[in-house]
Amino acid sequence: MLWVDKYRPKNLDKVLVHEEIAENLKKLVTEQDCPHLLFYGPPGSGKKTLIMALLREMFGPSAEKVRVENKGWKVDAGTRTIEIELTTLSSTHHVELNPSDAGFQDRYIVQEIIKEMARNRPIDTKGKRGFKVLVLNEVDKLSKEAQHSLRRTMEKYSSSCRLILCCNSSSKVTEAVRSRCLNVRVNAPNNDEIVKVLEFIGKKENLQLPPGFSARVAVKSNRSLRRAILLFEACRVQQYPFTNTQAIPPMDWEEYVTEIASDIMKEQSPKRLFQVRGKFYELLVNCIPPEIVLKRLLSELLKKLDAELKHEVCHWAAYYEHRMRLGQKAIFHLEAFVAKFMSIYKGFLIATFG
Amino acid sequence: MAPLLQSSQQWVEKYRPKKVKDVAHQDEVVKVLTNTLETSNCPHMLFYGPPGTGKTTTALAIAHQLFGPELYKSRVLELNASDDRGINVVRTKIKNFAAVAVGSAQRQGGYPCPPYKIIILDEADSMTEDAQNALRRTMETYSKVTRFFFICNYISRIIEPLASRCAKFRFKPLPEDVMITRILHICGEEGLNLDSQALSTLSSISQGDLRRAITYLQGAARLYGSSITSKDLISVSGVIPEEVVQDLLAACKSGNFDLADKEVNNVISEGYPVSQMISQLFDIIVEADDLSDEQKARVFKKLGETDKCLVDGADEYLQLLDVAGNTMRAFCNMAQDFSY
């Protein structure tokens, strides 16, 4: 078992970071008055962990017995019937799914599954009707129509079903949905908190930690706790006992992007552009999302550039990323950014050194 | 064991005024509608105005007061954006409902019960133009037995022929004192303690939207119990604390790009929504004294473009970094155009 899963806090009492949020959530459960919730925060900040712990707090250990199902729905949409298939993760008390996987048909999924849940409500030991919880991931990727249909469904079925929404950025969730939920901001843990968690794991695993080692891992992790724990485990596999000078291995795709960055700094020519294209394809084939590649490339370039060029390069990075979102094929825009950068940099070199 | 479900009613619903005369701050509408109640004479209506000012409340209240609970179901049809309102629905459902004749005027159980039905179209600005066009004739043909109430935020999205058939009422945003009276009333009912600072924070973050203010209040009450400070309200509402915005501005003023980059990174990892950041930046810069008009204009132009990009789904970090870079160039009077 990976440490990330092994040391994921199982209930709200054992949470090491976000203790305040956990405390508040516990209060909500004890008051038995749980509204719809919207968790938002950067990746690796612990949204999922909090949600799982909350479910356990609500329903007890049976919420952990989950099964994966590949469910199909037949939806009657006016003139034709649509068949949709989606993977869900469910226990007796909750269903979790990724509605954006259904693409443009996501609105049917949302309506259909909530109606279905409202139909078969669980009955608790005292014979009263309880409610089910629907966890929706990546709501920021839901289409506008699906979000619109959510708002009414949320009100209509609120007695039988609670929604927990989870997303990275709440600006992409419509105001109407946001105002119907209790918003919970989950910030990325800062370096001290990450160090605390790493030291906790180190103690549990009986590891000897040289001073300052976990701090170095924390810095490398970019404030993502998941990343930090994965790195920590990678270091453990690579070399144990830890030494003070031990290098913390970067992700291989990151190294690859660093290589691209130094390539285009060295030479600005169509030939080099062609070589870089091959490397971009390599990254995309390995399922690294293009916007992450672009962001990483930008941060590598920024490290090496003069202050006056930074503004310009940032502007174009933002410009091409926006284009990428509107367009179809990411490779064009990645390449366009590199070409633009080459032209800017060459111009700068000529102007400075003649 | 599944937790029991208490009647956890939304306060917005719980404290929705039941009578037209209880609607706050919209005097003209209230006057016209009280008149309607007495004479049971009513034109088609068009309510428009910003969210949370009482449009839906007024429409529902008048319908209830006209017909009472018994006749309400058969006389009122309520449709909003989440119901399907394509052109087919207009042609079938609305038309069928509108065409049904009703009995003559008889007062029943103390309600006027005028001889017509009411169709309430909530969020009418999200109806397609075709659907609105299909309504034109229906409205006139059945005007003897049916009254239409249109409710929308933007009157410009209602086609002119429809708007000209209705009596128009603008709903104004609530001023601070009216809002505070309402909030205090709810606090009294629910047994909450709010100090004056929290009250003014609440009315400033909700910007005249009473529904939003009540939602924030309920959220804060659920999380923090009965005594609520202004800090609790800010954390519930998702507004970014003033210091964070000021830090970013200070970094922009310093002219050091790496510092700005660090601040932007911080904003993103703290999970603050960038769209909110942009609107708060706007609020601060528009009132700043130490900036020239040209500088402000340069900043705002970029803010507008960025907002559009964010709606298209562009990456938040890159967009905010671009905004920070542009703001810095404007503050430090660097050239607007890039040199290379």
Side-chain angles (χ1 to χ4, degrees), chain A residues 152 171 185 188 310 312 321, chain B residues 82 258 269-270 315-316 340:
Chain A
R152 189 65 194 154
S171 22
R185 180 171 60 86
K310 283 180 182 172
E312 198 165 344
E321 200 273 337
Chain B
S82 54
D258 293 327
S269 0
E270 286 294 319
D315 186 81
E316 295 198 310
Y340 303 105

Side-chain angles (χ1 to χ4, degrees), chain B residues 205-240:
Chain B
I205 54 179
S206 54
Q207 293 167 345
D209 181 343
L210 189 58
R211 176 177 41 205
R212 208 174 341 162
I214 298 175
T215 316
Y216 290 158
L217 189 66
Q218 186 173 19
R222 271 172 171 158
L223 278 182
Y224 303 103
S226 62
S227 50
I228 296 164
T229 62
S230 68
K231 200 173 137 244
D232 299 339
L233 286 169
I234 285 177
S235 83
V236 167
S237 66
V239 173
I240 302 171

Side-chain angles (χ1 to χ4, degrees), chain A residues 20 24-25 27-28 31-35 40-42 58-59 93 111 121 124-126 128-131 144 148-149 151-152 156 159 162 168-172 175 178-180 182-183 185-188 223 291 294-295 298 302 307-312 314-319 321-322 325-326 344 347-348 351-352, chain B residues 1-6 8-10 13 78 80-84 123 211-212 215-216 218-225 231 235-238 241 255 257-258 261 265-266 268-276 302 305 308-319 321-322 324-326 328-329 334 338-340:
Chain A
E20 200 181 325
N24 287 334
L25 288 178
K27 223 186 283 173
L28 280 184
E31 280 176 10
Q32 308 203 329
D33 175 22
C34 188
Y40 62 97
M58 277 180 178
F59 301 114
H93 302 290
Q111 282 173 344
R121 285 165 70 172
D124 70 2
T125 43
K126 288 181 191 136
K128 287 214 174 137
R129 290 180 133 191
F131 60 84
K144 281 272 155 345
H148 265 299
S149 64
R151 63 198 253 190
R152 189 65 194 154
K156 223 159 146 187
S159 58
R162 289 282 177 283
N168 283 138
S169 79
S170 76
S171 22
K172 286 176 204 157
E175 176 63 41
R178 258 186 292 160
S179 71
R180 281 169 176 77
L182 190 60
N183 293 8
R185 180 171 60 86
V186 185
N187 58 342
R223 294 185 69 177
E291 62 271 12
L294 186 66
K295 262 173 18 180
L298 176 71
L302 284 183
E308 48 181 318
L309 277 182
K310 283 180 182 172
H311 293 281
E312 198 165 344
C314 275
H315 170 76
W316 289 113
Y319 178 82
E321 200 273 337
H322 177 220
R325 211 48 77 105
L326 297 177
I344 292 170
F348 169 74
T352 335
Chain B
M1 184 188 91
L4 310 182
L5 194 84
Q6 289 185 337
S8 56
Q9 207 183 5
Q10 288 265 313
E13 294 296 328
E78 196 192 330
N80 65 21
S82 54
D83 304 307
D84 192 13
E123 293 149 40
R211 176 177 41 205
R212 208 174 341 162
T215 316
Y216 290 158
Q218 186 173 19
R222 271 172 171 158
L223 278 182
Y224 303 103
K231 200 173 137 244
S235 83
V236 167
S237 66
F257 191 85
D258 293 327
D261 187 20
N265 256 318
N266 187 35
I268 298 291
S269 0
E270 286 294 319
Y272 294 118
V274 171
S275 54
Q276 177 69 31
K302 186 77 217 169
E305 285 168 10
K308 158 76 177 138
C309 291
L310 284 175
V311 170
D312 287 340
D315 186 81
E316 295 198 310
Y317 166 75
L318 292 174
Q319 292 297 333
L321 194 60
D322 192 15
N326 181 70
M328 187 186 295
R329 287 199 306 280
M334 293 186 219
F338 296 117
S339 24
Y340 303 105

